[in-house]
Amino acid sequence: VQLVESGGGSVQAGGSLRLSCVVSGLTSSSNCMGWFRQAPGKEREGVAAISTGLGSTDYADSVKGRFTISRESAKNTVYLQMNNLKPEDTAMYYCAAASAEARWWLRLLERVYTYWGQGTQVTVS
């Protein structure tokens, strides 16, 4: 299984970015996909997650109303649209895939996920 993120960059506060994660080699018909981030000196935290089977989404409180996770099954791609970015959003962002679905209250936890991308840097000034 391979996850490849793209779309990171440097933006000014209030700007937008869209991250993409292309997934290959995953055989599950439905599973949980997530976006995590890790800022320097901080633990990695769950930002957003989506159930590919149900289409339901979950967000960390810090990004609700600003970030949107979505999926394009035909392209095996998961997106994270980030609007109204703030300096505190600065972090390395990682895409993650679980091998199966997960209960909604677990979807922002690292231990749910088996496969991880290498990350894409987002810097907000």
Side-chain angles (χ1 to χ4, degrees):
V1 178
Q2 189 173 25
L3 286 71
V4 180
E5 304 101 330
S6 62
S10 296
V11 296
Q12 291 189 336
S16 298
L17 284 173
R18 188 177 80 157
L19 306 183
S20 299
C21 173
V22 179
V23 184
S24 60
L26 191 62
T27 58
S28 300
S29 58
S30 67
N31 69 319
C32 185
M33 296 291 302
W35 284 97
F36 288 74
R37 67 185 181 186
Q38 186 168 22
K42 294 188 176 181
E43 294 185 355
R44 189 155 56 182
E45 62 172 346
V47 173
I50 185 167
S51 160
T52 64
L54 300 174
S56 56
T57 57
D58 302 276
Y59 298 94
D61 288 344
S62 58
V63 306
K64 279 181 182 176
R66 300 188 298 121
F67 290 12
T68 303
I69 188 171
S70 62
R71 172 177 174 259
E72 190 171 0
S73 57
K75 294 185 177 180
N76 292 325
T77 301
V78 177
Y79 303 99
L80 185 67
Q81 177 67 44
M82 305 185 295
N83 298 328
N84 190 23
L85 282 161
K86 304 176 181 181
E88 51 264 42
D89 295 319
T90 295
M92 184 72 77
Y93 282 71
Y94 298 91
C95 178
S99 56
E101 293 282 6
R103 300 291 187 181
W104 66 267
W105 58 87
L106 299 175
R107 290 178 192 155
L108 295 181
L109 300 180
E110 283 191 64
R111 59 185 175 91
V112 167
Y113 297 88
T114 304
Y115 309 103
W116 294 82
Q118 293 187 332
T120 185
Q121 178 68 38
V122 172
T123 302
V124 185
S125 59

